[in-house]
Amino acid sequence: MRRLSTSLMMLVLSACIARSAGLSTLSAGSVNAIDRMFQAAVDKAEIPGVVAAVTNKDQILYLKAFGRQDVARNIPMSTDTVFRIASMTKPVTSAGIMMLYEEGKLRLDDPAGNYLPAYKGREVIAKFNEKDATYTTRPAHGEMTIRQLLTHTSGLSYPFTSPTILAIQTKTGKDPKMLPLLFDPGTKWNYSPATAVLGDILEKLSGQPLEDWDQARVFRPLGMADTTYAPSPEKAARLATIHERKSTGLVENPNLPTYAPDVRGDGGLVSTASDYTAFVQMLLNEGSWHGKRLLKPETVRLMTSNQIGSVVVDTMPAAIPSRSASFPFGAGKDKFGLGFQITVTEGAPRHERGAGSYTWAGINNTHFWVDPKNGIGAVILTQVLPFYNATSMDVMTRFEKLIYEHLQ
């Protein structure tokens, strides 16, 4: 009889332990199917490379790399490859804000202007002229609050999610955070730089730069050794290159000789799949990880429940097609919590995540979700623009279906 490989033996042992503890696990058949799918996606040049992980509350069930970290230099992707996770920074900042909330340093319905005066009295665009990007404004019906910043209902917008803001920002050169609001706070959902504002509030109330806060309060407690705004030369050498999907195929952009950090509450972190999986496990365990508690269970439940009432997540247009296609899945029905999109539809009939799952992503097509109903979380990291392009999302969807088709 052929001897089992060490990796397969470990998989079987882990599955037995997980089942005995009542935890979800993956069958060997599903692991092999996921392997084949990702390798085929690389072979067909759908993606240049990927690192993906699946975890339950206690242990990583799947962590593998495929393809190339740097195609031009023929560097293989590895499980310790570092990725620009962009807006997957947002849940980290949101968690930091909720730590301050637990400490009584802010309240969710406090106006943002109480902490940052630049956000007091922000007006709403009343009329906009598409021909010359001129506009008039009116007073907003209320001040934007911490809760509205966390839920992307503040009225702020990114240029790539709003043709109006794109036109105004192009004409004026102003930071989108400083432009008038698209709508009255709390009345609509619009993906925005709201979490950058939260990052500024976190720095002001904590008295620490974001990097120092995150390292002390999140990354070191969770063992996220490779997650940072300012990677060392050793970490930067493991950074995957970014590709752009064009009509001629994937075009690689080489990494710059030195990495310039971009420190914002809404983006800028680099991380690895295993590091971010620790953050996912903390959420699955309602705020704790291997005996270290970051948030109270009731706080995590608050963050991952509907906080926008009858408002729904809207489709964001492809205002800058080279940056992003329209997104996200679930628009028109999903809700939003304090930092996460919340799945409303039950996915079991389609081998998809369960209702009540929560998620977000980064613009280079890094994605994660947490599924409390099924007791698992998943991370899939690529570096391909535009965001939500059909091919990248098809690979992610196939990954999701293979997980749930054989989940045990």
Side-chain angles (χ1 to χ4, degrees):
M1 185 191 308
R2 189 169 59 183
R3 183 175 298 173
L4 288 174
S5 69
T6 302
S7 59
L8 183 56
M9 288 176 65
M10 291 301 296
L11 175 66
V12 172
L13 179 60
S14 296
C16 291
I17 293 172
R19 282 195 295 271
S20 66
L23 300 174
S24 296
T25 188
L26 294 174
S27 68
S30 68
V31 168
N32 292 334
I34 293 170
D35 287 353
R36 290 193 299 270
M37 184 277 291
F38 279 134
Q39 189 58 58
V42 170
D43 292 344
K44 291 186 290 185
E46 293 180 314
I47 51 174
V50 61
V51 181
V54 182
T55 187
N56 61 26
K57 289 182 177 182
D58 287 356
Q59 58 190 325
I60 293 176
L61 306 173
Y62 183 94
L63 176 62
K64 293 193 179 182
F66 301 85
R68 293 288 179 268
Q69 169 183 305
D70 187 316
V71 174
R73 298 168 63 196
N74 198 32
I75 300 175
M77 195 73 84
S78 68
T79 54
D80 67 354
T81 292
V82 173
F83 292 81
R84 300 166 183 84
I85 62 170
S87 288
M88 278 171 54
T89 301
K90 287 180 171 71
V92 176
T93 302
S94 298
I97 287 291
M98 297 308 290
M99 290 177 188
L100 296 179
Y101 161 79
E102 287 187 349
E103 294 167 4
K105 294 181 178 177
L106 57 78
R107 293 174 297 184
L108 294 180
D109 295 313
D110 286 345
N114 286 6
Y115 307 100
L116 301 174
Y119 295 92
K120 270 186 181 175
R122 190 63 63 87
E123 296 202 328
V124 178
I125 295 172
K127 293 182 180 179
F128 174 71
N129 188 329
E130 294 182 3
K131 294 180 180 179
D132 60 6
T134 57
Y135 59 91
T136 61
T137 61
R138 62 167 175 80
H141 299 153
E143 297 282 339
M144 69 172 76
T145 66
I146 301 295
R147 188 189 304 272
Q148 290 160 353
L149 290 169
L150 284 162
T151 58
H152 293 276
T153 59
S154 67
L156 294 170
S157 180
Y158 284 120
F160 82 94
T161 61
S162 168
T164 298
I165 295 300
L166 174 61
I168 297 172
Q169 197 257 349
T170 300
K171 181 176 181 176
T172 65
K174 291 183 178 179
D175 186 328
K177 292 185 298 180
M178 296 295 106
L179 295 179
L181 306 181
L182 281 178
F183 49 82
D184 289 304
T187 60
K188 290 183 65 179
W189 184 91
N190 191 92
Y191 186 50
S192 74
T195 322
V197 181
L198 292 171
D200 295 341
I201 291 172
L202 194 157
E203 287 189 324
K204 183 170 183 178
L205 292 182
S206 70
Q208 292 181 282
L210 279 176
E211 173 76 8
D212 294 348
W213 166 276
D214 286 343
Q215 291 295 341
R217 299 293 300 272
V218 181
F219 303 149
R220 283 198 290 272
L222 295 182
M224 297 170 67
D226 285 324
T227 306
T228 177
Y229 285 102
S232 65
E234 184 276 328
K235 290 182 177 66
R238 293 188 270 129
L239 192 65
T241 57
I242 296 176
H243 284 70
E244 295 181 56
R245 194 177 304 282
K246 297 182 179 292
S247 58
T248 54
L250 291 169
V251 177
E252 185 173 29
N253 297 314
N255 290 331
L256 296 174
T258 57
Y259 183 83
D262 182 19
V263 183
R264 296 168 54 100
D266 62 342
L269 285 175
V270 300
S271 188
T272 61
S274 56
D275 266 19
Y276 211 86
T277 298
F279 185 72
V280 167
Q281 285 182 323
M282 180 273 292
L283 294 168
L284 268 174
N285 284 284
E286 295 191 317
S288 70
W289 182 82
H290 294 187
K292 299 173 183 176
R293 180 159 295 283
L294 274 67
L295 293 162
K296 297 176 182 177
E298 55 268 33
T299 301
V300 175
R301 290 194 289 270
L302 184 69
M303 294 177 73
T304 58
S305 62
N306 176 23
Q307 297 294 317
I308 60 175
S310 60
V311 173
V312 294
V313 170
D314 284 329
T315 298
M316 295 292 96
I320 306 177
S322 63
R323 294 286 289 165
S324 177
S326 295
F327 70 94
F329 292 163
K333 53 191 174 184
D334 280 1
K335 298 297 183 177
F336 216 84
L338 304 177
F340 307 93
Q341 181 181 347
I342 301 169
T343 301
V344 171
T345 306
E346 176 55 51
R350 301 175 304 282
H351 300 303
E352 295 172 357
R353 68 196 72 175
S357 296
Y358 49 95
T359 183
W360 203 240
I363 200 164
N364 301 307
N365 280 298
T366 59
H367 301 264
F368 81 96
W369 71 89
V370 182
D371 184 344
K373 181 176 182 180
N374 290 294
I376 63 164
V379 177
I380 175 170
L381 304 180
T382 65
Q383 300 280 265
V384 181
L385 288 169
F387 182 52
Y388 251 74
N389 71 80
T391 304
S392 293
M393 297 311 293
D394 186 54
V395 172
M396 193 199 79
T397 299
R398 298 197 310 255
F399 175 48
E400 180 175 355
K401 289 183 182 299
L402 287 170
I403 292 170
Y404 287 97
E405 186 176 357
H406 301 290
L407 191 65
Q408 297 179 333

